[in-house]
Amino acid sequence: MRAERMSIAAYKTTIRESESPRQIERRLLVRVTATLDASAREYDSAEAGFARVTLLTSALREALSDNVAIWQALKSDLANPGNALPADLRAMLISLSLWVERQTNVVIGGGVGIQDLVQVNRNIIAGLSGQAPSGPGATAPGAVAGQGTDSTASI
C-alpha cells in the first residue's frame, strides 16, 4: 500500500511538472465544477433556505470552498503587476473572482445560485480550452480564450 501511495504521488508530481499553468487551471476548474454541478439542480430548486442548508453536504461544502480557493488564487495572480494579461482583462477577471466569492457566501447562507457558479466556471474552462463559452453571460469570460493566468503556482 505504501508503494502504491508513493507511485500515485510521483504520478501527480509528473503531471504538475508537465502541464502548463493553463492546463492546471482548467483541470482544477473541471474537477470542482463537476462536483458543484452534481448538486446544483437539487440545491437550487429546494423550497426554502433551511432545506438548502441541509443539502450542504460535506462534498458540496468542500467543493464550494475549493472553488473559492481557486478563484482567490486566480485573483492573487491577476493582481500581480508581472501578470502578462492585458490590464482590462485582468480587471474583468478580478471582478468575476469577487462575484464568485459573494455568490458563494449567498449559497452557503441558504440562497440559490450554484448553477450560476457552475456556468461561470464552464465559461472560464471554455476560454482556457480555446473554445467560445456558451450559455447566459458567456460574453465576458470568453475573452480569456487560450490564455491562462499562471496562478497555479500558488494552488
Side-chain angles (χ1 to χ4, degrees):
M1 185 69 160
R2 181 172 161 84
E4 182 179 317
R5 278 187 277 164
M6 290 174 55
S7 176
I8 291 170
Y11 175 73
K12 288 180 180 180
T13 299
T14 301
I15 287 175
R16 278 192 304 271
E17 292 173 354
S18 62
E19 286 182 314
S20 71
R22 185 176 83 198
Q23 290 169 322
I24 294 169
E25 290 166 355
R26 183 186 176 284
R27 180 173 46 83
L28 292 171
L29 281 169
V30 165
R31 180 185 55 80
V32 75
T33 302
T35 304
L36 290 173
D37 192 37
S39 302
R41 185 169 292 119
E42 182 180 9
Y43 182 91
D44 284 347
S45 65
E47 290 292 322
F50 179 76
R52 290 185 196 111
V53 171
T54 61
L55 290 171
L56 281 171
T57 63
S58 61
L60 176 54
R61 188 175 297 274
E62 184 177 334
L64 288 165
S65 176
D66 289 349
N67 193 53
V68 167
I70 291 167
W71 279 96
Q72 286 173 339
L74 293 171
K75 180 177 64 175
S76 175
D77 181 68
L78 290 162
N80 183 336
N83 187 295
L85 291 177
D88 59 335
L89 178 57
R90 289 193 339 250
M92 182 178 57
L93 290 169
I94 288 170
S95 292
L96 194 55
S97 173
L98 295 171
W99 178 87
V100 167
E101 291 174 21
R102 286 190 307 269
Q103 185 62 26
T104 300
N105 287 332
V106 167
V107 170
I108 289 173
V112 297
I114 294 178
Q115 197 59 49
D116 295 334
L117 292 167
V118 167
Q119 188 60 49
V120 165
N121 283 4
R122 284 184 177 152
N123 289 340
I124 297 299
I125 290 166
L128 290 169
S129 302
Q131 303 168 357
S134 61
T139 54
V144 298
Q147 299 177 357
T149 64
D150 197 24
S151 63
T152 51
S154 59
I155 296 178

Short mmCIF file of all heavy atoms in Angstrom, two decimals, residues 66-99:
data_model
loop_
_atom_site.label_atom_id
_atom_site.label_comp_id
_atom_site.label_asym_id
_atom_site.label_seq_id
_atom_site.Cartn_x
_atom_site.Cartn_y
_atom_site.Cartn_z
N ASP A 66 -13.34 24.79 -2.25
CA ASP A 66 -12.29 24.62 -3.26
C ASP A 66 -12.45 25.62 -4.40
O ASP A 66 -11.46 26.17 -4.89
CB ASP A 66 -12.31 23.19 -3.83
CG ASP A 66 -11.84 22.15 -2.85
OD1 ASP A 66 -11.28 22.50 -1.78
OD2 ASP A 66 -12.04 20.94 -3.14
N ASN A 67 -13.69 25.85 -4.82
CA ASN A 67 -13.94 26.80 -5.90
C ASN A 67 -13.48 28.20 -5.51
O ASN A 67 -12.81 28.89 -6.30
CB ASN A 67 -15.44 26.79 -6.26
CG ASN A 67 -15.71 27.49 -7.57
OD1 ASN A 67 -15.11 27.20 -8.59
ND2 ASN A 67 -16.64 28.43 -7.53
N VAL A 68 -13.81 28.62 -4.30
CA VAL A 68 -13.37 29.94 -3.84
C VAL A 68 -11.85 30.00 -3.76
O VAL A 68 -11.24 31.00 -4.15
CB VAL A 68 -14.02 30.29 -2.47
CG1 VAL A 68 -13.34 31.49 -1.83
CG2 VAL A 68 -15.50 30.57 -2.66
N ALA A 69 -11.23 28.92 -3.29
CA ALA A 69 -9.76 28.90 -3.20
C ALA A 69 -9.12 29.05 -4.58
O ALA A 69 -8.13 29.78 -4.73
CB ALA A 69 -9.29 27.61 -2.52
N ILE A 70 -9.68 28.38 -5.57
CA ILE A 70 -9.15 28.51 -6.94
C ILE A 70 -9.29 29.95 -7.42
O ILE A 70 -8.34 30.54 -7.94
CB ILE A 70 -9.89 27.55 -7.91
CG1 ILE A 70 -9.52 26.09 -7.58
CG2 ILE A 70 -9.57 27.88 -9.36
CD1 ILE A 70 -10.42 25.06 -8.26
N TRP A 71 -10.47 30.53 -7.22
CA TRP A 71 -10.70 31.91 -7.66
C TRP A 71 -9.85 32.90 -6.89
O TRP A 71 -9.41 33.91 -7.45
CB TRP A 71 -12.19 32.24 -7.59
CG TRP A 71 -12.91 31.73 -8.79
CD1 TRP A 71 -13.61 30.55 -8.89
CD2 TRP A 71 -12.98 32.34 -10.07
NE1 TRP A 71 -14.10 30.41 -10.16
CE2 TRP A 71 -13.73 31.49 -10.90
CE3 TRP A 71 -12.48 33.53 -10.58
CZ2 TRP A 71 -13.99 31.82 -12.23
CZ3 TRP A 71 -12.74 33.84 -11.91
CH2 TRP A 71 -13.48 32.99 -12.72
N GLN A 72 -9.59 32.65 -5.61
CA GLN A 72 -8.72 33.55 -4.84
C GLN A 72 -7.29 33.47 -5.36
O GLN A 72 -6.59 34.49 -5.43
CB GLN A 72 -8.79 33.22 -3.35
CG GLN A 72 -10.09 33.67 -2.73
CD GLN A 72 -10.26 33.22 -1.29
OE1 GLN A 72 -9.63 32.27 -0.83
NE2 GLN A 72 -11.13 33.90 -0.56
N ALA A 73 -6.85 32.27 -5.72
CA ALA A 73 -5.51 32.12 -6.30
C ALA A 73 -5.42 32.83 -7.64
O ALA A 73 -4.43 33.52 -7.93
CB ALA A 73 -5.15 30.64 -6.45
N LEU A 74 -6.47 32.70 -8.45
CA LEU A 74 -6.51 33.41 -9.73
C LEU A 74 -6.45 34.92 -9.50
O LEU A 74 -5.70 35.63 -10.17
CB LEU A 74 -7.77 33.04 -10.52
CG LEU A 74 -7.89 31.61 -11.03
CD1 LEU A 74 -9.28 31.36 -11.59
CD2 LEU A 74 -6.82 31.30 -12.05
N LYS A 75 -7.26 35.40 -8.56
CA LYS A 75 -7.30 36.83 -8.25
C LYS A 75 -5.93 37.33 -7.80
O LYS A 75 -5.48 38.39 -8.24
CB LYS A 75 -8.35 37.10 -7.18
CG LYS A 75 -8.48 38.56 -6.80
CD LYS A 75 -9.60 38.79 -5.79
CE LYS A 75 -9.27 38.08 -4.51
NZ LYS A 75 -10.24 38.34 -3.43
N SER A 76 -5.28 36.57 -6.97
CA SER A 76 -3.96 36.95 -6.48
C SER A 76 -2.97 37.08 -7.63
O SER A 76 -2.21 38.04 -7.72
CB SER A 76 -3.46 35.93 -5.46
OG SER A 76 -2.16 36.22 -5.06
N ASP A 77 -2.98 36.11 -8.53
CA ASP A 77 -2.08 36.15 -9.67
C ASP A 77 -2.44 37.31 -10.62
O ASP A 77 -1.55 37.99 -11.13
CB ASP A 77 -2.09 34.83 -10.43
CG ASP A 77 -1.13 34.86 -11.60
OD1 ASP A 77 0.09 34.89 -11.37
OD2 ASP A 77 -1.61 34.88 -12.75
N LEU A 78 -3.72 37.51 -10.82
CA LEU A 78 -4.16 38.58 -11.72
C LEU A 78 -3.79 39.96 -11.19
O LEU A 78 -3.56 40.89 -11.97
CB LEU A 78 -5.67 38.48 -11.94
CG LEU A 78 -6.13 37.27 -12.77
CD1 LEU A 78 -7.61 37.02 -12.54
CD2 LEU A 78 -5.80 37.47 -14.23
N ALA A 79 -3.73 40.10 -9.88
CA ALA A 79 -3.39 41.39 -9.27
C ALA A 79 -1.88 41.66 -9.27
O ALA A 79 -1.45 42.77 -9.03
CB ALA A 79 -3.92 41.44 -7.83
N ASN A 80 -1.11 40.64 -9.58
CA ASN A 80 0.35 40.77 -9.63
C ASN A 80 0.74 41.65 -10.82
O ASN A 80 0.36 41.36 -11.95
CB ASN A 80 0.97 39.38 -9.75
CG ASN A 80 2.47 39.39 -9.74
OD1 ASN A 80 3.11 40.38 -10.07
ND2 ASN A 80 3.04 38.27 -9.36
N PRO A 81 1.52 42.71 -10.59
CA PRO A 81 1.92 43.59 -11.70
C PRO A 81 2.68 42.86 -12.81
O PRO A 81 2.69 43.31 -13.95
CB PRO A 81 2.82 44.63 -11.03
CG PRO A 81 2.52 44.56 -9.59
CD PRO A 81 2.04 43.17 -9.30
N GLY A 82 3.28 41.73 -12.50
CA GLY A 82 4.01 40.99 -13.51
C GLY A 82 3.14 40.11 -14.39
O GLY A 82 3.62 39.47 -15.32
N ASN A 83 1.85 40.05 -14.12
CA ASN A 83 0.94 39.24 -14.92
C ASN A 83 0.89 39.80 -16.34
O ASN A 83 0.73 41.00 -16.53
CB ASN A 83 -0.45 39.23 -14.29
CG ASN A 83 -1.39 38.27 -15.00
OD1 ASN A 83 -1.72 38.47 -16.16
ND2 ASN A 83 -1.81 37.24 -14.29
N ALA A 84 1.02 38.92 -17.33
CA ALA A 84 1.15 39.35 -18.73
C ALA A 84 -0.18 39.61 -19.42
O ALA A 84 -0.19 40.13 -20.54
CB ALA A 84 1.93 38.30 -19.51
N LEU A 85 -1.31 39.29 -18.80
CA LEU A 85 -2.60 39.54 -19.44
C LEU A 85 -2.85 41.05 -19.52
O LEU A 85 -2.37 41.81 -18.69
CB LEU A 85 -3.73 38.88 -18.65
CG LEU A 85 -3.77 37.36 -18.66
CD1 LEU A 85 -4.91 36.86 -17.78
CD2 LEU A 85 -3.93 36.82 -20.07
N PRO A 86 -3.61 41.48 -20.51
CA PRO A 86 -3.95 42.91 -20.61
C PRO A 86 -4.67 43.39 -19.34
O PRO A 86 -5.46 42.64 -18.74
CB PRO A 86 -4.89 42.97 -21.83
CG PRO A 86 -4.63 41.71 -22.59
CD PRO A 86 -4.19 40.69 -21.59
N ALA A 87 -4.41 44.63 -18.96
CA ALA A 87 -4.95 45.18 -17.72
C ALA A 87 -6.47 45.12 -17.66
O ALA A 87 -7.04 44.79 -16.62
CB ALA A 87 -4.47 46.62 -17.53
N ASP A 88 -7.16 45.40 -18.77
CA ASP A 88 -8.62 45.37 -18.75
C ASP A 88 -9.16 43.96 -18.56
O ASP A 88 -10.15 43.75 -17.86
CB ASP A 88 -9.21 46.03 -20.00
CG ASP A 88 -8.76 45.37 -21.30
OD1 ASP A 88 -7.68 44.75 -21.33
OD2 ASP A 88 -9.50 45.52 -22.30
N LEU A 89 -8.50 42.97 -19.14
CA LEU A 89 -8.90 41.58 -18.95
C LEU A 89 -8.65 41.15 -17.50
O LEU A 89 -9.49 40.50 -16.89
CB LEU A 89 -8.15 40.67 -19.92
CG LEU A 89 -8.43 39.18 -19.80
CD1 LEU A 89 -9.92 38.88 -19.96
CD2 LEU A 89 -7.62 38.41 -20.84
N ARG A 90 -7.51 41.54 -16.97
CA ARG A 90 -7.21 41.22 -15.56
C ARG A 90 -8.27 41.82 -14.65
O ARG A 90 -8.77 41.17 -13.74
CB ARG A 90 -5.82 41.71 -15.17
CG ARG A 90 -4.72 40.90 -15.82
CD ARG A 90 -3.34 41.12 -15.24
NE ARG A 90 -3.10 42.33 -14.52
CZ ARG A 90 -2.34 43.34 -14.93
NH1 ARG A 90 -1.72 43.26 -16.08
NH2 ARG A 90 -2.17 44.41 -14.19
N ALA A 91 -8.62 43.07 -14.88
CA ALA A 91 -9.63 43.74 -14.04
C ALA A 91 -10.98 43.02 -14.13
O ALA A 91 -11.66 42.83 -13.12
CB ALA A 91 -9.78 45.20 -14.47
N MET A 92 -11.36 42.62 -15.34
CA MET A 92 -12.62 41.91 -15.52
C MET A 92 -12.61 40.57 -14.77
O MET A 92 -13.58 40.22 -14.09
CB MET A 92 -12.86 41.67 -17.01
CG MET A 92 -14.18 40.99 -17.29
SD MET A 92 -14.51 40.75 -19.05
CE MET A 92 -13.10 39.81 -19.57
N LEU A 93 -11.52 39.85 -14.86
CA LEU A 93 -11.43 38.56 -14.18
C LEU A 93 -11.35 38.72 -12.66
O LEU A 93 -11.90 37.90 -11.91
CB LEU A 93 -10.22 37.77 -14.70
CG LEU A 93 -10.37 37.27 -16.14
CD1 LEU A 93 -9.04 36.73 -16.66
CD2 LEU A 93 -11.46 36.22 -16.23
N ILE A 94 -10.71 39.78 -12.18
CA ILE A 94 -10.69 40.06 -10.74
C ILE A 94 -12.11 40.36 -10.26
O ILE A 94 -12.54 39.87 -9.21
CB ILE A 94 -9.71 41.20 -10.40
CG1 ILE A 94 -8.27 40.70 -10.55
CG2 ILE A 94 -9.96 41.72 -8.98
CD1 ILE A 94 -7.22 41.80 -10.48
N SER A 95 -12.85 41.14 -11.02
CA SER A 95 -14.25 41.43 -10.67
C SER A 95 -15.07 40.15 -10.63
O SER A 95 -15.90 39.95 -9.74
CB SER A 95 -14.87 42.40 -11.67
OG SER A 95 -14.28 43.66 -11.57
N LEU A 96 -14.83 39.28 -11.58
CA LEU A 96 -15.52 37.99 -11.62
C LEU A 96 -15.17 37.16 -10.39
O LEU A 96 -16.03 36.52 -9.78
CB LEU A 96 -15.17 37.25 -12.90
CG LEU A 96 -16.03 36.06 -13.29
CD1 LEU A 96 -17.49 36.44 -13.37
CD2 LEU A 96 -15.55 35.50 -14.62
N SER A 97 -13.92 37.20 -9.99
CA SER A 97 -13.48 36.49 -8.79
C SER A 97 -14.20 37.01 -7.55
O SER A 97 -14.64 36.22 -6.68
CB SER A 97 -11.97 36.63 -8.62
OG SER A 97 -11.56 36.08 -7.39
N LEU A 98 -14.34 38.32 -7.45
CA LEU A 98 -15.06 38.91 -6.32
C LEU A 98 -16.53 38.49 -6.33
O LEU A 98 -17.12 38.21 -5.28
CB LEU A 98 -14.92 40.43 -6.34
CG LEU A 98 -13.51 40.96 -6.12
CD1 LEU A 98 -13.45 42.46 -6.39
CD2 LEU A 98 -13.01 40.63 -4.72
N TRP A 99 -17.13 38.42 -7.51
CA TRP A 99 -18.50 37.96 -7.64
C TRP A 99 -18.62 36.51 -7.17
O TRP A 99 -19.58 36.17 -6.46
CB TRP A 99 -19.00 38.10 -9.08
CG TRP A 99 -20.40 37.58 -9.22
CD1 TRP A 99 -21.55 38.27 -9.01
CD2 TRP A 99 -20.76 36.24 -9.57
NE1 TRP A 99 -22.63 37.43 -9.20
CE2 TRP A 99 -22.17 36.18 -9.54
CE3 TRP A 99 -20.05 35.09 -9.89
CZ2 TRP A 99 -22.87 35.02 -9.83
CZ3 TRP A 99 -20.74 33.93 -10.17
CH2 TRP A 99 -22.15 33.89 -10.14
#
